[in-house]
Amino acid sequence: VYRRGGVVSGTSAGASLIAEWMPTGNGNETVKGLGVLSGSILDQHFFKRNRQDRLRAMVKERKVIGLGIEERAFITVRQGVVTAFE
């Protein structure tokens, strides 16, 4: 859908899946995401679950851009442009 010009979006783990890398929930471990946002990792429930240090460590390890979103937030990606909503 994305490659044909459509919009992709997700909340929580669905938002994390859009990135190139996503957290597994097992410490700082990551797995490959869908790669819609290449060169990135996205962590969800960011402030509520105090994940700032975790994201910082994953960004340092993978050398990618880190994005953190909150529980009621979601992102959309269209033609390489990320928009966040709360």
Side-chain angles (χ1 to χ4, degrees), residues 11-84:
T11 62
S12 194
S16 289
L17 185 62
I18 291 171
E20 182 175 348
W21 296 98
M22 64 180 285
T24 65
N26 186 19
N28 296 340
E29 182 180 275
T30 58
V31 295
K32 283 294 252 180
L34 294 175
V36 173
L37 290 175
S38 63
S40 69
I41 186 165
L42 192 147
D43 206 349
Q44 72 279 357
H45 312 292
F46 192 61
F47 291 114
K48 182 158 184 148
R49 297 190 185 171
N50 240 355
R51 292 187 168 159
Q52 299 89 332
D53 291 337
R54 178 172 96 162
L55 181 59
R56 197 173 294 117
M58 291 185 292
V59 163
K60 184 177 179 181
E61 180 181 327
R62 292 281 177 197
K63 296 179 177 39
V64 293
I65 294 170
L67 303 164
I69 64 170
E70 238 349 277
E71 286 189 353
R72 293 181 179 217
F74 67 96
I75 65 167
T76 62
V77 183
R78 183 172 193 173
Q79 298 176 338
V81 177
V82 178
T83 307

